[in-house]
Amino acid sequence: MALYVYAVTKSSHPLRVDELEGVGGDGTPVRAVRGDGLCAVVSEAPEEITMTRPDLEAHHAVQERLWNDGPTLPLSFGFVAEDEDAVRAVLDAEAEQFAERLDELADRVEFNVKGVQEEEAILRRILADSEPVRQLNEATRDGGGTYDQRLELGRLLNDEVLARQTALAESVLAALRPHAHAERLGEPSQQYFLSASFLVDRQGVEEFTRAAEEASGELPEGVEVRVRGPLPPYSFT
C-alpha cells in the first residue's frame, strides 16, 4: 500500500493525530510507522495527488499539529513511499542524521521575511538623487532621444535599482541576524528584494518580531517588510 508521508519525528513524540483526516479526504486516517527510535507520520496515499486547497490544508494541519507538540521534520507536499517497508528502510538508513536534525530544531521556529518595494517610489528617489538619470529621462521623455540614450537610461535605472535593493536587503538582514539561529536566503525577484527564512529560538520570538518591526520602521517610504510566523521549520529540514 502506497503511503503519503507528512513528517518524521522521534518515537517519544505524543503523535496526537488520530482525529485528523489525511490528504485525499474520505476520512483517511493518519497514523505512525515506527522505526528504531523514530517514526514517520503517514496516511494511505490517494490514487492521484493534486495540489487542491483541501489537500494542502490537510497536509499542513497534520504538520502543524505535530509541530505544536514537539520537534518534527516536515516533508514537502506530495511525498509518497511505496509501502511501510520502504518507510522503515529510510528511517533506519537515516536514523542518525534525522535524530541530530530533530535535536537541532527542538524549541525553534521559522519566520519567513519578504521585502517589498513600490516601483514608483524607488524610481522617484532615483530621479531625485541621480543627475545622469534625470538628464537622460528628460532627453527621452515622450519617445524622444536616441536609441543609445534610451538604452543607457535603462542600464542606469537597472543598476540603481539593484544597488538600492541590495542595500535595503542587507540593512534588514543585519537587523535580524543577531536574533536568529540560522537563515536561508532566496534569490531576489521582481516582486521581492528580499526573501529569507530564519530559524529562531522559541524564547526569542518576541525579540525577533520586535527587531523586524524596528527594521521596517527605519526603511524609506514605499518599502515594506512582511513577516510570517512562527511556523514549522520547513526551510531547515
Side-chain angles (χ1 to χ4, degrees), residues 40-87:
V41 178
V42 306
S43 62
E44 182 178 343
E47 291 185 3
E48 183 179 359
I49 297 175
T50 57
M51 198 172 286
T52 61
R53 182 172 180 178
D55 281 349
L56 286 169
E57 289 178 346
H59 175 86
H60 290 299
V62 173
Q63 292 187 332
E64 289 178 4
R65 171 66 61 83
L66 293 167
W67 171 73
N68 285 333
D69 288 341
T72 66
L73 300 180
L75 276 68
S76 58
F77 180 86
F79 192 95
V80 174
E82 184 177 357
D83 53 28
E84 288 196 11
D85 289 339
V87 172

Side-chain angles (χ1 to χ4, degrees), residues 113-115 162 184-196:
V113 178
K114 304 287 189 184
L162 180 61
R184 295 285 187 273
L185 297 181
E187 289 295 325
S189 66
Q190 187 173 1
Q191 185 177 7
Y192 302 116
F193 67 82
L194 172 65
S195 178

